[in-house]
Amino acid sequence: MPHALIIDDNIAISRAIEHYLADLGFCTFDHTLTEHQALAAARQRRPDIIVIGDTIAAGCAIRAARAICEDGVVPVLMASGDPVLAARRLARASSYDGPFRINQIDEAVALALESRPVVH
């Protein structure tokens, strides 16, 4: 059962992302508002994908995603209303594709999952 971790302090956006991911086969979700909550949720259940938003209530979503990925690669998508700001924040990412519009989330998820290295 694919599991998604959504790190964003806007519950309406988080629920919209969940809706799109559910249509793509994701079955379970953790919604977190802070870096600390995201790290705790990932310790409880390792996500198959992480979606981060522009802002969170406390901490840094990008730092949380990087910490979670230290134990193994997890695709990370950033949902942003400001593609220029997102590009600046992701300039030091290991890989970067996009931006994608919300109605292209299926394309973004497919690309992220295809790019994930397979560990044997």
Side-chain angles (χ1 to χ4, degrees):
M1 265 196 284
H3 177 68
L5 171 59
I6 301 169
I7 311 169
D8 195 339
D9 65 358
N10 184 321
I11 197 65
I13 298 295
S14 292
R15 294 295 179 202
I17 291 167
E18 177 181 335
H19 173 76
Y20 278 101
L21 292 176
D23 286 348
L24 297 173
F26 285 83
C27 301
T28 58
F29 304 88
D30 280 318
H31 294 269
T32 61
L33 306 174
T34 70
E35 180 179 349
H36 178 74
Q37 288 174 347
L39 295 172
R43 280 191 297 273
Q44 290 293 316
R45 179 154 187 200
R46 184 154 184 83
D48 296 295
I49 197 164
I50 301 168
V51 181
I52 61 176
D54 282 332
T55 62
I56 59 175
C60 175
I62 293 172
R63 188 170 52 227
R66 284 189 174 134
I68 294 164
C69 293
E70 284 179 356
D71 294 336
V73 176
V74 177
V76 178
L77 300 177
M78 180 178 218
S80 176
D82 185 347
V84 174
L85 175 64
R88 257 189 274 133
R89 288 183 177 171
L90 297 174
R92 292 174 289 185
S94 59
S95 67
Y96 171 67
D97 292 300
F100 296 90
R101 297 187 186 285
I102 192 71
N103 63 349
Q104 296 173 303
I105 197 168
D106 56 337
E107 182 182 341
V109 169
L111 181 63
L113 294 175
E114 288 172 11
S115 300
R116 180 176 47 184
V118 178
V119 179
H120 296 283

